[in-house]
Amino acid sequence: MLDVKELTLIRGKSTILSNVSFTLKKGSVTVLLGKNGSGKTSLLRCLSRELIPFGSITLAGDPLASLPPRERARRLGLMPQLLPPTDMSVRELCLLGRSPHRRLLSRLSRTDRAAVSHALEVTGLMPLAERSVHSLSGGEQRRAFFATLLAQDTPLLLLDEPTAHLDAAARRHLLSLVSRVAREEGRTVLCVLHELSDAVRLADRVLVLDNGQLAFDGTTAEFIASPLPEHHFGTTRHHGEDGLPLYY
């Protein structure tokens, strides 16, 4: 699905990312971990072409750099950590996700309407569709922007700390949606997370960045068995009721 080879990002005199290589398989959920400043957001911005790195990025066999912006927006979507404030309704926000598929000023097609309705249903936001996004709770706002990403109908989803500033219940709800769309709809997900306990419950695979370099690339089981959670992130491991570890 996505192949990244020797990706390097230099800004000014600083090397932000250095020779990062990995592959994402179709329908998988990969969680990207790292300490603050390790390069996680910069990596996602390189994949979305907001930043232009050295190296090779291919999406379904096509070089990402060769794709026109409109075609690229049909293949991958990014949900940033910092969500822009808006007074639009949830439905209006979702409709923005259809922009790559529509001609300028064209009327909504049946496909557009179906994609928006599906996104609202999946995220449980249909009852709130006419509400202002600004009036929603933090968790509902995050789901609204996730619904917009789903309406964009791309095979690759890039999520930059989608659960930031949410309580435990809202985090679990949103991450369950991420897991559902990957497994039921075959979407490929690369998700930056901060909470290790959430990461090991969501991910099929884990990547760890350290000072712009890839320090780990392996399955979730391999990550749990490694010393990284405790030694690199300074956490203490506890036993979770579901059999997976909790890290504090």
Side-chain angles (χ1 to χ4, degrees), residues 13 153 232:
K13 296 182 179 181
D153 198 22
H232 183 72

Side-chain angles (χ1 to χ4, degrees), residues 96-116:
L96 290 182
R98 299 303 301 164
S99 299
H101 304 276
R102 300 172 58 202
R103 293 181 180 178
L104 186 64
L105 301 179
S106 64
R107 298 181 65 180
L108 291 174
S109 67
R110 289 184 179 180
T111 301
D112 294 327
R113 296 182 187 278
V116 169

Side-chain angles (χ1 to χ4, degrees), residues 173-184:
H173 189 179
L174 183 54
L175 294 180
S176 70
L177 293 175
V178 174
S179 179
R180 176 183 170 186
V181 299
R183 284 151 181 75
E184 295 184 5

